[in-house]
Amino acid sequence: MNRESVQAIGQAYYQAVFDTDRDLAFQIIRQALADGVTPETIVFEIVVPSIDRMVAGFTDTFDSSIAQHFMATQIAAAVTEEMLALFQHQPEVVGTVILGASAGDFHGLGKRIVAGCLKTQMIEVIDIGVNAPAEKFLAAALEHKAQIIGIAAMMVHTAQGKDGCLGVRRLLQQHGLESSVKIVVGGAPYRFDPHLYQTVQADAWAPNGIEAGRIIRQLIETVKAR
């Protein structure tokens, strides 16, 4: 199938996810498969670019809402999982991220959006839920041999809390793991204050799921290269 046809399928898929029509999105993808489009092309040339467009529409042009953004990432994650089983050669998982909301924070929407984006970029996500104490992040990182701990916070006091990122940093120091496990943070407080991640002693912060994927991939490579 030529590039123009793939682009047309991509536009139809994007419109379906923009309209939060999960059934139509899957119908488009499955028809593309039947027409000879490879699963690899579907993931990397249709699904991932659609997430890029949704992020831009939410953060730059304000053409999409948080609800649309959320649904787009959940559909993308589900399509990706279905397509991965059909890949001719199974892609190598880039690395593993422990993802959770900081202690005292019960907001899970942003975290789930990020998880959906990361899965489309071949990053394994272990979601430990909301209101997660520092010890839970560390235990999960050790159990799953994760390179990254991702901590979401929607409120300033949970971002800065001693049992949030600061607590995780303290535990990494105590166990001598600072070079093998990196911390990435995200959420509303960091968008309001881009330097807050330094205050809470994180290694980096990301404003959205796509950027989180790029930053996390870079940090994973740094950890693996040490």
Side-chain angles (χ1 to χ4, degrees):
M1 184 170 289
N2 61 39
R3 185 165 184 79
E4 289 74 18
S5 297
V6 171
Q7 289 176 337
I9 295 169
Q11 177 58 38
Y13 171 82
Y14 172 75
Q15 190 61 52
V17 297
F18 185 87
D19 294 335
T20 66
D21 192 332
R22 188 180 190 278
D23 291 341
L24 179 57
F26 268 90
Q27 179 182 330
I28 291 166
I29 293 303
R30 287 164 182 162
Q31 185 60 53
L33 274 176
D35 291 340
V37 181
T38 66
E40 292 87 348
T41 296
I42 287 172
V43 171
F44 297 116
E45 297 186 31
I46 294 174
V47 175
V48 173
S50 77
I51 292 295
D52 277 324
R53 288 182 65 183
M54 287 298 293
V55 168
F58 179 65
T59 62
D60 299 337
T61 63
F62 308 106
D63 292 331
S64 59
S65 67
I66 186 68
Q68 289 171 295
H69 188 28
F70 171 71
M71 284 300 298
T73 56
Q74 300 309 295
I75 294 170
V79 170
T80 298
E81 288 182 8
E82 185 171 307
M83 292 302 104
L84 284 176
L86 304 175
F87 272 33
Q88 185 173 2
H89 302 289
Q90 286 299 305
E92 181 181 353
V93 173
V94 175
T96 302
V97 176
I98 305 303
L99 191 62
S102 185
D105 203 312
F106 294 86
H107 298 81
L109 180 59
K111 173 177 62 64
R112 292 178 65 186
I113 290 174
V114 171
C117 290
L118 295 182
K119 288 176 182 178
T120 66
Q121 298 187 50
M122 305 302 120
I123 298 171
E124 182 180 13
V125 177
I126 307 299
D127 190 337
I128 61 172
V130 299
N131 187 31
E135 291 79 9
K136 189 172 183 179
F137 281 101
L138 178 65
L142 292 173
E143 177 183 353
H144 297 281
K145 297 180 173 60
Q147 297 83 19
I148 306 294
I149 289 176
I151 307 174
M154 286 297 291
M155 298 173 289
V156 173
H157 72 273
T158 56
Q160 296 182 324
K162 294 187 182 301
D163 197 28
C165 186
L166 289 169
V168 174
R169 172 61 66 195
R170 182 183 67 252
L171 290 175
L172 292 180
Q173 290 171 340
Q174 290 174 356
H175 289 79
L177 296 172
E178 288 189 285
S179 62
S180 57
V181 181
K182 301 299 182 181
I183 305 173
V184 179
V185 293
Y190 302 100
R191 289 194 292 273
F192 289 124
D193 179 3
H195 300 290
L196 179 60
Y197 84 97
Q198 296 170 321
T199 302
V200 300
Q201 300 179 21
D203 293 292
W205 81 283
N208 56 61
I210 291 296
E211 189 63 24
R214 295 191 183 106
I215 291 170
I216 285 170
R217 288 177 73 102
Q218 291 172 357
L219 288 174
I220 288 172
E221 290 174 5
T222 298
V223 169
K224 288 184 173 182
R226 68 181 179 85

